[in-house]
Structure formats: C-alpha cells, structure tokens
Amino acid sequence: YGAAVQGAILTGAQGAVNSAGGGQLLLLDVTPLSLGIETEGKHMSTIVKRNTSIPVRKNDTFTTLEDFQTEIDVAIYEGERSTTDGNNLLGKFVIDGIERAKAGVPQIVVTFDIDANGILKVSAEDKVTQKKAHIVIENQKGRNTDEQIERMVREAEALNKADEIAAKKAEMRNDLEEMIIKASSEKKTKDLAESLQEWFDEDGEEASEIDLRAKIDQLEKAMQKL
C-alpha cells in the first residue's frame, strides 16, 4: 500500500527530552495514508488513520444492508477522502457464510493488521458463524512518492465539504430506496411507491439533497397513515 513513512519522535527520560538535553531520536515507521474499507454510498470507513505507527492491529464491526444477506464484499482503500472514489483501491475479497438474519443484525469484525515489514493483512469474521476470510497486501515500496501523498492530502482537505455532501446524498438515496421497497408491499402506498421508484430510476442519481428530502418526507407521511 506504499512505502512506510518514517516519523521522527524525540524522546528522553520519561518519554521527553530531559533537562540535560540528552534526548534520543527514534525513527518509527508510520502509515503514509489512512486505510479503511468501503461501506454503503461509497463511504470510506477508516480503520487505521494516517501517521499511525506500525506494527499495528485495529478493527471495527460492520453489518449487512439487506435481509438474509449471506456474503459481504470487502474492498480495501487508502487515502484521505471521505468517499472511496478519490482513494486508491488496494484489494478486495468476499466473506460468505455469514449469519442469515435481518439487515443490521449480523456482526462482521474487520481487522487490519500491519506487521513491522509493512505487510497488511485484512481479515473479516462473522461473530456468530465464525466464518472467516482475508487478504494479504504486500508492502509495495515506493508506490506512492512523498509528493503523491502530499497531493492526496491536499485534495482531501480541499474537497472535504463536497465529499460530505456526496456522502449525505448517498445515504439519503439508500434510505429512500429502502422506504420504497417497504411501501410497495402495502396496498395503500403501493401506487405512490411505484411512482417514486420511476422517479428514482430516472432522476435519483442526480437529485439534489432538497429533492431527496422532499421524496422521503412524502413517503414518510404516507406510511404514517397506515
């Protein structure tokens, strides 16, 4: 995922430069860019933050989007953008055999483990079925130059607001789509659901946050009358 960057840390007695000025200069390898996985709406869910010293082991817990989903795609990215579109894809794998349950019930623990040589192992395990899957990503020394890393960080800072808006709209589109599915199963809201589905298919991707909120509110009011 790129050459490890060395960060200089001054230490002495009790971890700081002592009064005699006899501190030591320790060079620690750190992650040059944040590492994480893609979640709904192409969101970059960071697990290991930029400039984390290695070796390191960190994990987070994720769940399913659909009822009775039995597998999950795990896509690993590096970068500072909040959306994966602006980050680098490092690899992907699939974990199957996960707990068959309603959306949001299964718990999948994703672990990032980076050893002293910069080799990244990403694993996923279902807490109930204990099914596991993993991928190993070799340290590709020099893949990202200092200039490339600095450029990615600057771009992320400059585009942070736009990424936040895009992530919010993606979340709203997912919410509306789920609501349409539920409303289509009810006789009194079926016609409205079909109408909104047509609108969603034609204009949903480019719809503004205001338009998406209006459609969500419209459907919520109809569902509340049931």
Side-chain angles (χ1 to χ4, degrees):
Y1 57 90
V5 176
Q6 290 189 319
I9 299 178
L10 284 170
T11 65
Q14 304 301 320
V17 179
N18 59 30
S19 59
Q24 293 178 308
L25 182 64
L26 299 181
L27 290 176
L28 300 179
D29 285 339
V30 299
T31 54
L33 293 166
S34 297
L35 298 164
I37 67 171
E38 182 178 75
T39 54
E40 65 171 313
K42 295 186 177 182
H43 175 69
M44 170 73 166
S45 184
T46 299
I47 295 179
V48 180
K49 293 183 178 180
R50 179 173 180 256
N51 288 334
T52 297
S53 58
I54 60 173
V56 65
R57 180 183 175 88
K58 290 183 178 293
N59 61 58
D60 203 351
T61 303
F62 300 87
T63 189
T64 51
L65 282 172
E66 301 174 4
D67 292 342
F68 310 116
Q69 189 175 334
T70 58
E71 64 179 38
I72 289 178
D73 294 324
V74 181
I76 302 98
Y77 285 83
E78 67 172 0
E80 304 309 309
R81 297 279 296 276
S82 60
T83 59
T84 55
D85 282 342
N87 294 331
N88 297 329
L89 175 65
L90 300 180
K92 59 176 64 176
F93 66 94
V94 176
I95 175 172
D96 57 14
I98 63 178
E99 178 186 10
R100 282 182 57 83
K102 288 284 189 178
V105 173
Q107 294 189 0
I108 315 299
V109 179
V110 176
T111 301
F112 277 54
D113 197 341
I114 310 174
D115 68 14
N117 296 315
I119 297 174
L120 169 64
K121 178 181 178 180
V122 181
S123 59
E125 179 179 1
D126 184 288
K127 284 188 175 182
V128 172
T129 66
Q130 297 187 325
K131 288 283 290 185
K132 301 177 182 179
H134 75 274
I135 189 174
V136 175
I137 300 171
E138 298 292 335
N139 184 1
Q140 303 175 45
K141 187 175 182 180
R143 196 178 72 80
N144 289 316
T145 65
D146 290 346
E147 290 76 15
Q148 288 173 320
I149 292 169
E150 290 174 5
R151 176 181 56 77
M152 291 181 72
V153 172
R154 287 196 304 269
E155 287 179 353
E157 292 173 349
L159 297 171
N160 181 57
K161 185 63 177 178
D163 282 349
E164 286 182 358
I165 293 174
K168 179 63 176 177
K169 287 171 62 177
E171 182 181 350
M172 293 176 72
R173 282 195 296 270
N174 286 331
D175 289 344
L176 178 57
E177 197 164 23
E178 290 177 8
M179 291 175 65
I180 289 173
I181 292 173
K182 291 180 180 178
S184 63
S185 64
E186 298 289 342
K187 186 176 181 180
K188 291 183 178 180
T189 54
K190 186 176 180 179
D191 290 343
L192 175 59
E194 290 178 352
S195 174
L196 289 176
Q197 184 65 62
E198 290 180 7
W199 173 86
F200 187 87
D201 292 341
E202 293 182 8
D203 304 313
E205 191 65 31
E206 302 299 326
S208 68
E209 192 172 334
I210 294 175
D211 288 339
L212 289 167
R213 171 50 58 193
K215 300 300 183 183
I216 289 173
D217 289 345
Q218 180 183 6
L219 198 49
E220 281 181 341
K221 290 178 182 178
M223 294 292 285
Q224 287 172 358
K225 295 178 180 179
L226 295 178

